[in-house]
Amino acid sequence: MLAELLASFLFLISSMIFILFTGGNKKRSITGGKQGVPAANNTVSADPGLLPRSYPVIGSYFAIYANRDRRVQWLADVIRSSPSATFILHRFLGQRQVFTANPAIVHHILKTHFHNYPKGELLRESLHDFLGDGIFNVNGDTWKVQRQVSSHEFNRRSLRRFVETVVETELSDRLVPILAAAAEDKATVLDMQDILQRFTFDNICKIAFGYDPAYLLPSLPPGEFADAFEEAVLISSGRLNSILPVVWKLKRVLGVGSERRLRLAVSRVRDFARDLIREKKRLIAEQSTTNEEAAVEVDILSRFLMSGDYSDENFVIDIVISFIHAGRDTTSAALTWFFWLVSQNPDVEREILEEVHQLKSSGGGDGSGTAVFDETRDMVYTHAALCESMRLYPPVPVDTKEAIVDDFLPDGMLVKKGTRVVYHPYAMGRLPELWGSDWAEFKPDRWLERPGDASSGGNGGGRGAPGRKWSFVGRDQYLYPVFQAGPRVCLGKEMAFLQMKRMVAGVLGRFRVVPALDKGREPEYFADLTSKMKGGFPVRIEPRTIDYSGN
Ligand code: HEM
């Protein structure tokens, strides 16, 4: 803490001296886009009112500091004011960082020039103590092999098992009883964000480890593993977003403050994972001698252990931790904002209920048979509503790559080796040029068409069951990179949709989720590595007079 204060103080004094003697540059020029978002020409002047002022040595430190509590929203505002939806943020000591919401540039970095834009050193270093060499934090062959082995966990059979057993059990045995109890007492206020995080944490641990942490229980207990995990994510993301990385590096060397807490949290998470891995190895060995198939459920951990190539226990721990990280806060973030938006849009809620009701009438959605999987996939309207909600509140609001060699972006902007290029799904979902002047409205219809609509041409994002009135129209994934896109597109996308749709049917079919906020107040957005509601999402649960859930 003392070190942090001292460093900040020295830094501030030196900045003032520089500004006094040199003056800030008043206007910044950026390059306009050739395709995609707005501008058609090169080099245009952006709105100087919104572009952060930059000074020698300290760059835009003051603007970054002033907006530190609304970093994501601020960057989105600046991007929106830039003619090519792309601007350069000047950092300390002449470092430049490119921010973009231009689909052509996103396509360039995620697809056509993928090899020049891996995860950069800053990201890797900030997350390495926690994620090690797991899939989320590596490039090249180490990444490719992990992706290949784990992709089997996302085949049709595994997905079916996931929805019909893991999600279904968590829903009916844990979530529904908690909500039902809250619905009986009007005074009960639940933090829906916390509930959803517990729900997805249990789910992802079962998929990754084959282990049930039982984090979603009526008493909402502290979970040793979950809490340590949360602390490690928070402090690691604090590193990543730190204005002066030297501060956390110094604290790490000294082993003080947040860095000390991070070390403790990471060692708790790893010890826990190590015990589970040893237990799993024992089960696999037992299974191979007794030939008992049922002894080991196939989860991601078992796949790696059974492939026989992973003798390094620490590496296996890295792999599993990365998966939990990938699947944990993303789905809960999506659902938290979804329930908020639905509560504000009764027409959308009505359509969802109708869809859930149709499932029930067509014989599915009974929560027990194999129909659940197919019926869940057929929830086209709910699928659209989830896409629309993630357009406005993408669970991963920004994503950073780093150029290996000098490169030109499609709009002609030169990117020097080592420059961080950040694409910004949060800003992209709010660009009128991409979504129209009604971009601020929550309208699932933009993802749908009715059979016979003139502009027919849905690209198969949903299957549109017989008798349903909607079919899904997907968007270009570089215009809507909420799950990233290209070779590193999210592996869990389909799993996430199945989980979310099943949970939406199970919850909204039975209950109304009513925000318990003062009149006129809206939840406050903030982001660590994922989008969150500051202070949680207080709700009251009301029973529905008609049970639409089908159970
Ligand atoms: C709404 C839910 C989800 C969203 C919005 C989402 C989004 C993303 C994004 C943006 C990335 C790229 C991150 C980066 O490289 O910096 C990613 C990667 C990944 N996601 Fe998801 N994700 C979701 C759910 C899941 C789930 C449930 C899993 C299951 C385990 C999962 C597994 C992964 C994995 C393994 C990667 C790394 C892929 C790679 O690097 O090759 N995700 N996801």
Side-chain angles (χ1 to χ4, degrees):
M1 193 61 198
L2 192 65
E4 188 170 344
L5 281 176
L6 196 63
S8 303
F9 180 70
L10 287 174
F11 177 65
L12 209 65
I13 296 291
S14 59
S15 317
M16 297 298 227
I17 292 170
F18 262 100
I19 293 162
L20 272 177
F21 283 98
T22 57
N25 49 345
K26 304 215 165 23
K27 196 171 175 191
R28 187 140 306 286
S29 171
I30 64 165
T31 51
K34 270 197 292 209
Q35 26 177 328
V37 191
N41 307 316
N42 279 334
T43 318
V44 290
S45 269
D47 174 358
L50 275 181
L51 275 177
R53 283 176 69 143
S54 170
Y55 303 93
V57 181
I58 61 164
S60 297
Y61 172 80
F62 290 123
I64 296 169
Y65 186 77
N67 289 287
R68 66 193 180 287
D69 291 335
R70 54 180 304 274
R71 185 176 41 87
V72 170
Q73 302 95 306
W74 169 61
L75 290 168
D77 290 345
V78 181
I79 287 174
R80 211 168 22 209
S81 77
S82 311
S84 69
T86 304
F87 80 100
I88 297 169
L89 183 65
H90 292 256
R91 293 256 180 194
F92 198 44
L93 291 178
Q95 285 178 41
R96 290 149 53 104
Q97 198 175 2
V98 176
F99 283 88
T100 188
N102 185 327
I105 294 177
V106 176
H107 187 258
H108 180 90
I109 61 171
L110 294 186
K111 173 89 169 158
T112 49
H113 291 65
F114 171 73
H115 293 292
N116 194 40
Y117 293 95
K119 304 220 171 191
E121 255 325 291
L122 181 85
L123 186 102
R124 265 187 57 68
E125 197 188 357
S126 305
L127 301 180
H128 193 267
D129 285 328
F130 175 42
L131 296 180
D133 291 326
I135 186 169
F136 225 80
N137 207 32
V138 282
N139 299 305
D141 286 346
T142 324
W143 160 71
K144 216 182 255 174
V145 167
Q146 289 184 58
R147 183 154 176 117
Q148 209 175 13
V149 176
S150 41
S151 58
H152 297 295
E153 189 57 27
F154 301 94
N155 63 27
R156 197 183 159 89
R157 203 168 134 245
S158 302
L159 289 175
R160 184 181 280 278
R161 186 179 60 87
F162 173 65
V163 181
E164 287 169 2
T165 57
V166 177
V167 178
E168 208 53 45
T169 313
E170 187 77 8
L171 183 66
S172 51
D173 294 2
R174 296 202 175 136
L175 182 61
V176 168
I178 290 174
L179 299 184
E184 274 176 18
D185 176 8
K186 282 203 168 86
T188 302
V189 174
L190 292 178
D191 177 359
M192 197 65 178
Q193 179 166 263
D194 178 47
I195 300 271
L196 292 168
Q197 283 168 349
R198 288 169 184 271
F199 182 90
T200 52
F201 192 75
D202 283 353
N203 272 193
I204 194 64
C205 282
K206 287 185 203 165
I207 288 295
F209 282 136
Y211 159 75
D212 176 12
Y215 192 37
L216 180 63
L217 294 180
S219 60
L220 303 178
E224 196 196 332
F225 182 53
D227 292 349
F229 208 96
E230 175 67 18
E231 173 120 294
V233 170
L234 266 179
I235 300 175
S236 302
S237 73
R239 278 179 171 185
L240 192 60
N241 298 324
S242 149
I243 301 176
L244 285 173
V246 67
V247 174
W248 70 256
K249 289 181 187 177
L250 196 63
K251 288 202 284 186
R252 180 169 63 178
V253 171
L254 299 174
V256 297
S258 55
E259 287 299 314
R260 186 171 166 276
R261 295 203 309 280
L262 177 65
R263 197 177 296 167
L264 287 173
V266 168
S267 83
R268 284 214 303 276
V269 169
R270 297 187 80 84
D271 287 349
F272 196 86
R274 190 169 290 108
D275 288 348
L276 286 170
I277 287 170
R278 291 186 180 160
E279 172 63 11
K280 184 68 76 183
K281 276 184 178 162
R282 196 188 58 71
L283 274 175
I284 292 173
E286 216 170 73
Q287 182 195 9
S288 66
T289 52
T290 58
N291 245 351
E292 245 182 78
E293 278 228 349
V296 181
E297 292 244 348
V298 179
D299 45 60
I300 292 167
L301 173 59
S302 304
R303 274 190 203 284
F304 279 96
L305 292 177
M306 290 194 291
S307 77
D309 302 332
Y310 298 88
S311 50
D312 178 355
E313 202 169 67
N314 278 321
F315 186 41
V316 178
I317 294 176
D318 289 350
I319 293 172
V320 172
I321 290 177
S322 249
F323 269 91
I324 296 181
H325 172 60
R328 188 189 76 121
D329 274 359
T330 42
T331 3
S332 58
L335 285 166
T336 303
W337 286 102
F338 173 85
F339 281 118
W340 158 251
L341 286 171
V342 167
S343 74
Q344 302 305 297
N345 292 274
D347 291 351
V348 174
E349 184 165 18
R350 214 167 296 127
E351 281 289 350
I352 293 173
L353 290 176
E354 203 172 294
E355 184 165 75
V356 174
H357 188 58
Q358 272 182 12
L359 297 186
K360 182 184 171 189
S361 324
S362 66
D366 62 0
S368 57
T370 51
V372 173
F373 178 70
D374 296 323
E375 292 292 339
T376 305
R377 280 163 63 109
D378 281 343
M379 294 174 66
V380 174
Y381 187 85
T382 310
H383 193 96
L386 284 161
C387 289
E388 178 68 349
S389 158
M390 289 189 283
R391 172 179 72 81
L392 290 164
Y393 297 104
V396 183
V398 293
D399 212 308
T400 304
K401 309 291 173 190
E402 194 172 301
I404 299 179
V405 296
D406 291 2
D407 183 32
F408 285 99
L409 295 178
D411 62 359
M413 182 188 282
L414 171 65
V415 171
K416 299 289 266 181
K417 167 185 172 180
T419 302
R420 275 176 282 152
V421 181
V422 184
Y423 71 92
H424 203 297
Y426 180 95
M428 293 182 89
R430 290 156 186 261
L431 278 182
E433 291 79 2
L434 298 182
W435 301 96
S437 54
D438 62 352
W439 65 267
E441 287 172 41
F442 177 59
K443 280 173 66 176
D445 291 25
R446 20 174 141 248
W447 299 84
L448 296 165
E449 64 187 13
R450 292 169 196 268
D453 272 2
S455 58
S456 176
N459 70 356
R463 292 185 299 137
R468 304 271 159 73
K469 56 184 178 178
W470 302 109
S471 61
F472 182 75
V473 187
R475 295 295 177 113
D476 181 275
Q477 46 176 336
Y478 301 96
L479 186 153
Y480 178 77
V482 162
F483 290 90
Q484 194 159 265
R488 283 194 91 144
V489 65
C490 170
L491 262 177
K493 180 176 172 184
E494 199 179 347
M495 177 179 274
F497 270 114
L498 286 168
Q499 180 186 10
M500 293 190 291
K501 288 193 278 187
R502 184 63 203 129
M503 130 84 111
V504 167
V507 172
L508 285 186
R510 296 179 180 85
F511 308 106
R512 281 187 68 217
V513 177
V514 185
L517 292 163
D518 293 339
K519 203 168 163 31
R521 242 197 84 206
E522 299 205 348
E524 201 179 324
Y525 177 92
F526 91 101
D528 41 39
L529 292 178
T530 50
S531 297
K532 301 250 162 60
M533 282 187 192
K534 204 175 202 164
F537 181 27
V539 299
R540 289 198 174 80
I541 304 297
E542 292 177 6
R544 287 207 188 275
T545 38
I546 305 172
D547 183 343
Y548 290 91
S549 68
N551 288 351

